[in-house]
């Protein structure tokens, strides 16, 4: 005291009248906040080359002590009134803590600093009415401006009286432990977040696979429906072909029966004609034998006429009669020959008709064979179509079984992923609970520090 004034940075004139800054927002990087706070407390330089953050202190309110009356106007001491001071860094509002000080504690600190340094900021005056809200607000703002000016000064903020007033030394060990626990918690939360993100990606991939499987299932169901429709169409076509073949076979069987009946009729007519021809031949043979007999009789009569001319007249008459009989026999023979010729013509016509009937029967038999071949081919086509339909049905059943297994596998994988996601969510909830316990421990430690 009395010597050269200590080197110090004068506080900005604008900060003297500035209103108290609002509470700093919560930041997620707790380890970084604790490092900034300890760097601010110790006045160190950070490893990344930036200047150490400054400690800020502000008066955020006041409390009345129970059983003690507030000072009267002019007393200045404010007996029974405590001012609540919150200490933090300009970068960190999470690791802040609070202390309670009376006005006389501020006055004692101001007296000690003025004894050690020149140009110490002025403390608000003692005069005023303690129950006046405007007066209390002005004093709170003045005390905040005073604390800011001290904490922003690089020399005054490191003075032992200032550190003792703000309880910076007793907070270092607490914040070191909190920093270690916060760092471990942040690492654990980071690992759990990574695992949770991996599970979410896996669930997304499984959902995409499930969607693709659903699309494939829909396509296969559409193909199955189309195959069933084609099978029904083929079955209908085969049934129609079979009905047509059956109708053709029935008509051919009827034609064959008709041809067989006609052939039987022709055969019967031929047999009748042959019988008639045989009868006519027998009649002609008998007539020829009779003519031969008559000729032999005439010869005998001529011989007898030559031998016995006595009976010539009678014999001539007999001969004339015989010749007349011969002529009648020849006439009958000619008639019988004509009838034989007519019977032969009828037999030939019957043979021609029989040959035509046989040819028609052969054609009908050929048509029946062709119809039977077509029916056999249609039956083979039907059997082939049925075999193709059976193979298609077996393939569809095999694919449906395989698709069912794949869908069961996808569902099981999705269930496992959901269970893992629930486990990760439970772990995250446990981590949040642990963080809440850490916050409660910090608050308890701050209360213990106060």
């Amino acid at each position: 005291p009395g010597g050269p004034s200590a080197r110090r940075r004068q506080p900005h004139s604008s900060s003297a009248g500035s209103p108290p800054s609002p509470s700093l927002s919560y930041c997620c990087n707790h380890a970084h906040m604790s490092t900034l706070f300890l760097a601010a407390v110790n006045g160190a330089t950070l490893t990344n080359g930036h200047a150490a953050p400054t400690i800020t202190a502000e008066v955020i309110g006041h409390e009345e002590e129970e059983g003690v009356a507030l000072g009267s106007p002019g007393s200045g001491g404010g007996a029974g009134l405590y001012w609540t001071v919150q200490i933090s860094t300009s970068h960190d509002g999470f690791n802040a803590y609070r202390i309670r000080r009376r006005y006389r504690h501020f006055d004692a600190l101001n007296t000690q600093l003025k004894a050690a340094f020149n140009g110490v900021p002025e403390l608000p005056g003692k005069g005023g009415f303690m129950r006046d809200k405007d007066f209390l607000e002005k004093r709170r703002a003045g005390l905040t401006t005073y604390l800011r000016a001290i904490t922003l000064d690089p020399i005054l903020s490191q003075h032992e009286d200032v550190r003792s007033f703000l309880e910076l030394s007793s907070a270092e060990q607490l914040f070191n432990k909190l920093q270690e626990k916060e760092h471990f918690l942040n690492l654990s939360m980071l690992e759990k977040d990574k695992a949770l993100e991996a599970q979410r990606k896996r669930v997304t991939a499984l959902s995409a696979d499930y969607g693709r499987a659903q699309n494939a299932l829909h396509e296969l169901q559409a193909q199955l429906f189309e195959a069933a429709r084609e099978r029904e169409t083929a079955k209908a076509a085969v049934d129609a072909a079979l009905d047509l073949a059956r109708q053709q076979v029935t008509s051919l069987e009827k034609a064959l029966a008709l041809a067989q009946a006609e052939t039987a009729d022709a055969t019967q007519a031929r047999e009748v004609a042959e019988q008639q021809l045989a009868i006519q031949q027998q009649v002609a043979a008998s007539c020829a034998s009779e003519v031969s007999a008559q000729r032999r009789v005439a010869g005998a009569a001529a011989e007898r006429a030559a031998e016995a001319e006595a009976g010539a007249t009678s014999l001539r008459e007999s001969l004339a009669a015989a010749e007349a009989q011969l002529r009648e026999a020849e006439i009958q023979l000619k008639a019988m020959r004509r009838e034989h010729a007519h019977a032969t013509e009828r037999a030939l016509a019957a043979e021609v008709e029989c040959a035509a009937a046989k040819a028609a029967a052969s054609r009908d038999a050929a048509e029946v064979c062709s119809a039977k071949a077509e029916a056999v081919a249609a039956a083979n086509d039907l059997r082939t179509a049925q075999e193709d339909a059976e193979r298609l049905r077996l393939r569809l059943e095999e694919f449906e079984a395989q698709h069912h297994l794949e869908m069961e596998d996808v569902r099981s994988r999705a269930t496992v992923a959901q269970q893992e996601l629930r486990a990760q969510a439970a772990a995250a909830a446990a981590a949040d609970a642990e963080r809440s316990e850490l916050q409660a421990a910090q608050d308890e430690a701050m209360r213990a520090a106060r």
Side-chain angles (χ1 to χ4, degrees):
S5 62
R7 295 179 59 190
R8 65 181 180 85
R9 181 174 56 84
Q10 296 290 341
H12 296 287
S13 60
S14 61
S15 63
S18 62
S21 63
S23 300
L24 298 177
S25 60
Y26 178 83
C27 181
C28 294
N29 194 348
H30 300 162
H32 180 63
M33 290 190 294
S34 299
T35 304
L36 292 176
F37 191 88
L38 293 176
V41 171
N42 297 325
T45 301
L46 298 180
T47 57
N48 57 8
H50 296 287
T54 57
I55 289 292
T56 60
E58 60 177 341
V59 180
I60 61 174
H62 62 276
E63 298 177 4
E64 297 180 3
E65 186 176 4
E66 297 181 358
V68 180
L70 295 179
S72 58
S75 62
L81 185 66
Y82 284 93
W83 295 97
T84 303
V85 182
Q86 178 172 297
I87 297 95
S88 63
T89 67
S90 59
H91 301 81
D92 187 2
F94 176 72
N95 286 327
Y97 64 95
R98 298 176 182 179
I99 58 176
R100 295 199 311 168
R101 295 290 183 266
R102 290 183 180 274
Y103 180 82
R104 65 171 177 267
H105 297 150
F106 286 93
D107 187 48
L109 175 63
N110 186 49
T111 301
Q112 292 172 355
L113 292 178
K114 284 186 176 181
F117 301 99
N118 294 326
V120 176
E122 293 295 333
L123 192 67
K126 296 181 180 181
F129 183 56
M130 290 295 103
R131 295 190 179 275
D132 187 0
K133 293 183 179 180
D134 293 336
F135 171 75
L136 292 176
E137 180 61 25
K138 289 181 181 179
R139 171 161 289 187
R140 187 197 64 77
L143 293 176
T144 298
T145 303
Y146 176 77
L147 291 177
R148 284 184 177 179
I150 292 176
T151 54
L152 288 174
D153 192 285
I155 297 178
L156 294 179
S157 61
Q158 297 300 321
H159 194 267
E160 184 65 28
D161 292 333
V162 176
R163 292 174 62 86
S164 177
F165 180 82
L166 298 178
E167 297 183 2
L168 296 178
S169 299
S170 61
E172 291 181 1
Q173 295 180 354
L174 173 63
F175 282 119
N176 284 331
K177 293 180 180 180
L178 292 176
Q179 177 187 2
E180 293 177 359
K181 191 171 183 180
E182 288 169 355
H183 182 66
F184 177 76
L185 179 61
N186 288 330
L187 291 178
S188 177
M189 289 297 296
L190 181 61
E191 293 296 330
K192 291 179 180 179
D193 290 341
K194 289 181 179 179
L196 184 60
E197 184 65 24
Q199 291 297 329
R200 287 176 180 172
K201 291 181 178 178
R202 184 178 178 185
V203 169
T204 303
L206 289 176
S207 299
D209 293 340
Y210 183 75
R212 287 192 292 270
Q214 286 289 340
N215 293 330
L217 176 60
H218 293 324
E219 293 178 357
L220 290 174
Q221 288 177 349
Q223 293 177 2
L224 179 61
F225 178 75
E226 186 67 23
R229 188 173 63 182
E230 291 178 356
R231 183 177 63 185
E232 292 296 332
T233 304
K235 184 178 179 181
V238 169
D239 292 338
L242 284 176
D243 293 336
L244 181 60
R246 291 190 186 98
Q247 293 176 1
Q248 291 179 355
V249 169
T250 303
S251 62
L252 289 174
E253 288 177 351
K254 291 180 179 179
L256 179 60
L258 182 61
Q260 289 176 354
E262 291 178 354
T263 303
D265 293 338
T267 303
Q268 187 177 3
R270 181 180 178 182
E271 290 176 353
V272 171
E274 288 178 351
Q275 290 176 0
Q276 290 178 358
L277 179 61
I279 293 171
Q280 293 294 331
Q281 288 177 353
Q282 290 177 1
V283 171
S286 64
C287 291
S289 63
E290 289 179 358
V291 170
S292 297
Q294 292 294 331
R295 284 177 180 178
R296 285 191 301 273
V297 170
E303 289 178 355
R304 285 191 303 271
E307 291 178 355
E309 293 179 353
T313 303
S314 61
L315 288 174
R316 286 189 183 95
E317 292 177 357
S318 298
L319 179 61
E323 286 177 355
Q325 290 178 357
L326 179 60
R327 283 193 298 272
E328 289 177 359
E330 286 178 354
I331 292 170
Q332 290 179 359
L333 179 60
K334 289 179 180 179
M336 292 176 68
R337 285 178 179 175
R338 283 194 298 270
E339 289 178 359
H340 181 269
H342 291 313
T344 303
E345 289 176 356
R346 288 195 298 272
L348 291 175
E351 288 180 355
V352 171
E353 290 178 356
C354 183
K358 287 182 178 180
S362 300
R363 289 193 300 272
D364 293 336
E367 290 178 357
V368 169
C369 292
S370 177
K372 288 182 178 180
E374 291 178 355
V376 171
N380 292 331
D381 293 339
L382 175 60
R383 187 165 50 255
T384 304
Q386 289 177 351
E387 291 175 355
D388 293 339
E390 183 65 19
R391 286 195 296 271
L392 180 59
R393 185 183 64 78
L394 293 176
R395 288 181 58 191
L396 289 175
E397 290 178 354
E398 182 181 2
F399 178 78
E400 288 177 352
Q402 183 178 2
H403 178 70
H404 181 70
L405 293 176
E406 291 177 355
M407 290 301 298
E408 289 295 330
D409 183 53
V410 170
R411 290 192 184 96
S412 62
R413 290 169 58 190
T415 303
V416 172
Q418 289 177 355
Q419 292 177 356
E420 292 177 355
L421 186 60
R422 292 192 190 97
Q424 293 295 331
D432 292 335
E434 188 176 359
R435 181 180 295 176
S436 300
E437 293 177 359
L438 177 61
Q439 180 66 32
Q442 288 181 347
D443 295 337
E444 185 66 26
M446 290 177 186
R447 287 193 294 270
R450 286 199 295 271

